[in-house]
């Protein structure tokens, strides 16, 4: 991860009678170009439409190319995952009536961001984006946190209590009402010793009944095992899991899966715009949505 070089500095020599808050400017963080960054690699797989490619470095592109050489479907996974995110948020905001979202491990802004999809159904939807990468957070503050209903938190999901407290104490979300929690293409970057199941349960336990959990995760398979090697020296190495282990994320937090359960992502409530519906056998990426009573 890039070092967090964002800091506050005086806008003048300190003799101004302006308030301290008004005299503070934020210095943008510096992108670490020495180690591949998984958020930038993912954005490169998606074609980086929102950022024009300027926020990937040579090491990012090299690592992503290695992953693609080891698993030629890696780019398809990223596209299918983004499409799933749109369908899942659309389901929550539309059919389920959810108007609050907590997106863990947001990554770089791209096409079809959570708040944009949610507001097609819930014009006043609240969205809190969370990412620990200071460069990602900087982009999120500029491009995602566009009004009082959208916020960007620079926090690590490995410290879920801090996320919950920030949402509660900052009145960013009303935790007395249901929230849709998104852990999309992020849990395979959480190692076993970092307790991913506990992370999700800590968040879900703080929320009202009727809250939803959305998960996508790469399956352990020959192709993904090979591609995972390209992530060994990145900002977040990959931990692959089996289908039962991924399904356990829902049962562990007491969430009942909605139909069609945990399936290859192109199969989850596919519509006429869904890509790769005829290639699911090669799509070792699964996703599902669950609700807590």
């Amino acid at each position: 991860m890039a070092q967090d070089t964002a800091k506050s500095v005086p806008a003048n020599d300190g003799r101004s009678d302006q308030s301290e808050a008004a005299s503070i400017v934020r210095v943008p963080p510096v992108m670490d170009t020495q180690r591949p960054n998984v958020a930038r690699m993912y954005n490169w797989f998606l074609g980086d439409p929102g950022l024009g490619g300027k926020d990937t470095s040579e090491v990012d592109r090299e690592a992503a190319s290695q992953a693609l050489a080891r698993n030629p479907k890696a780019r398809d996974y990223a596209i299918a995952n983004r499409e799933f995110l749109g369908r899942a948020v659309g389901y929550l905001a539309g059919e389920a009536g959810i108007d609050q979202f907590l997106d863990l491990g947001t990554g770089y802004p791209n096409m079809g961001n959570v708040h944009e999809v949610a507001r097609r159904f819930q014009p006043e939807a609240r969205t809190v984006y969370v990412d620990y990468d200071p460069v990602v957070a900087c982009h999120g503050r500029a491009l995602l946190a566009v009004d009082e209903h959208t916020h960007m938190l620079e926090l690590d999901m490995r410290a879920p209590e801090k996320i919950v407290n920030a949402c509660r104490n900052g009145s960013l979300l009303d935790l007395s009402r249901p929230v849709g929690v998104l852990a999309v293409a992020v849990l395979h970057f959480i190692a076993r010793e970092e307790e991913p199941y506990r992370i999700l349960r800590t968040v879900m336990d703080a929320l009202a009944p009727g809250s939803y959990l959305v998960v996508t995760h790469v399956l352990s398979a020959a192709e993904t095992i090979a591609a995972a090697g390209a992530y060994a020296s990145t900002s977040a190495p990959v931990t692959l899991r089996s289908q039962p282990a991924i399904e356990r994320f829902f049962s562990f937090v007491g969430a009942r899966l909605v139909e069609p359960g945990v399936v290859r992502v192109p199969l989850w409530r596919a519509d006429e715009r869904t890509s790769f519906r005829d290639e699911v056998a090669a799509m070792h990426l699964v996703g599902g949505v669950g609700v807590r009573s």
Side-chain angles (χ1 to χ4, degrees), residues 42-238:
Y42 178 72
N43 223 44
W44 183 83
F45 283 134
L46 290 174
D48 201 13
L51 301 172
K54 65 184 177 62
D55 285 292
T56 58
S57 68
E58 183 178 350
V59 295
D60 301 322
R61 295 187 290 271
E62 181 179 345
S65 295
Q66 289 179 11
L68 195 58
R70 299 179 185 197
N71 179 10
K73 294 292 184 181
R75 175 170 277 122
D76 295 349
Y77 288 16
I79 295 170
N81 182 77
R82 195 70 180 183
E83 290 184 358
F84 168 91
L85 174 66
R87 296 196 304 277
V89 173
Y91 164 76
L92 293 186
E95 189 171 333
I98 298 295
D99 64 357
Q100 302 188 104
F101 296 85
L102 177 61
D103 186 7
L104 303 174
T106 297
Y108 280 87
N110 209 287
M111 298 177 65
N113 297 299
V114 172
H115 73 281
E116 295 168 338
V117 177
R119 288 183 183 180
R120 297 172 194 165
F121 305 89
Q122 302 284 348
E124 299 297 315
R126 299 185 187 183
T127 303
V128 174
Y129 295 100
V130 180
D131 205 293
Y132 76 148
D133 186 301
V135 179
V136 169
C138 183
H139 282 290
R141 285 188 290 268
L143 301 175
L144 298 176
V146 294
D147 56 38
E148 69 275 12
H149 294 304
T150 56
H151 303 273
M152 182 78 219
L153 297 180
E154 187 178 325
L155 292 173
D156 194 331
M157 67 178 289
R158 297 172 183 83
E161 297 87 355
K162 291 184 178 180
I163 296 172
V164 170
N165 288 337
C167 290
R168 178 186 291 117
N169 297 337
S171 300
L172 306 183
L173 298 174
D174 180 357
L175 303 190
S176 69
R177 298 192 301 108
V179 175
V181 176
L182 309 168
V184 175
V186 66
L187 290 168
H188 43 249
F189 295 118
I190 306 295
R192 178 179 180 180
E193 60 269 21
E194 293 170 325
E195 302 182 284
Y197 297 98
R198 180 195 65 82
I199 289 169
L200 290 187
R201 186 156 68 183
T202 299
V203 173
M204 298 302 294
D205 281 352
L207 306 181
S211 292
Y212 282 79
L213 174 64
V214 180
V215 170
T216 64
H217 198 295
V218 177
L219 282 168
S220 180
E223 298 92 331
T224 57
I225 291 171
Y231 285 81
S233 61
T234 68
S235 59
V238 170

